[in-house]
Amino acid sequence: MNPIHSFFVSFFFLTFVWFWNCTNYSTTTSVQAPPTLVSITNNGNSNFTIKVRAQNPEFIFQGYRLYQAATESLAQNPTDTNIGADCLLAQAAVVQPVEYTFEVDPSSNPNTAGVSCRIFATLTPGSYISMRTLGIAVNLANSTSSYRVSLPSNALIVP
């Protein structure tokens, strides 16, 4: 038998045995750190640039969700945290502080150079925005998954 093939067969078998016999997994949800909104700039034509500092590249990290409301409190604490505009980013393995540049624009234009992600939304000048981190949450009991959101970021007024 090929040694590489033998390794993969053994690895698969041990993983299968471990998966079905493992009862010592955590049911505690992982806590995601909220991002920090640094600035928002109006670029004209309903296009805005948001600078965000965050430290969330890890296994369950998925991206960010933007909320908009008439007051600071409502932007940070919406009645439904599932309603907002998402920006899903590529996962990274190393937890490092990162400064992201997000573009908020209702059009389907491609990203401007240097933009981490485009959020398809319309922002209203004078309203407040905040963001939350999205992490994947998997329920092993019923094999479902969903997004888990972090605590809210600070809020900024849309110029």
Side-chain angles (χ1 to χ4, degrees):
M1 180 182 269
N2 182 343
I4 294 174
H5 179 33
S6 176
F7 170 78
F8 283 113
V9 169
S10 299
F11 178 76
F12 177 74
F13 177 73
L14 290 174
T15 302
F16 180 77
V17 169
W18 175 81
F19 181 75
W20 288 108
N21 290 323
C22 179
T23 58
N24 297 325
Y25 56 86
S26 174
T27 57
T28 306
T29 56
S30 176
V31 177
Q32 293 284 302
T36 301
L37 302 182
V38 177
S39 66
I40 181 168
T41 306
N42 188 338
N43 301 329
N45 297 328
S46 301
N47 182 308
F48 294 86
T49 301
I50 302 173
K51 297 276 186 181
V52 177
R53 287 197 183 111
Q55 184 174 339
N56 278 298
E58 56 190 40
F59 180 66
I60 65 169
F61 171 75
Q62 298 296 301
Y64 297 96
R65 184 170 286 158
L66 176 72
Y67 300 94
Q68 177 180 216
T71 67
E72 180 178 8
S73 178
L74 285 174
Q76 290 180 313
N77 303 297
T79 54
D80 184 357
T81 57
N82 293 316
I83 298 175
D86 292 348
C87 176
L88 303 179
L89 295 169
Q91 296 179 1
V94 181
V95 178
Q96 295 287 334
V98 177
E99 184 166 293
Y100 293 109
T101 301
F102 295 118
E103 199 166 51
V104 182
D105 190 351
S107 74
S108 59
N109 295 335
N111 286 352
T112 305
V115 171
S116 305
C117 190
R118 177 177 285 265
I119 301 173
F120 298 100
T122 301
L123 296 181
T124 306
S127 63
Y128 290 82
I129 60 165
S130 76
M131 292 183 106
R132 291 177 184 242
T133 301
L134 296 175
I136 193 79
V138 178
N139 185 337
L140 296 176
N142 61 10
S143 300
T144 61
S145 65
S146 62
Y147 289 130
R148 176 165 169 75
V149 296
S150 70
L151 294 172
S153 69
N154 57 314
L156 295 176
I157 299 174
V158 178

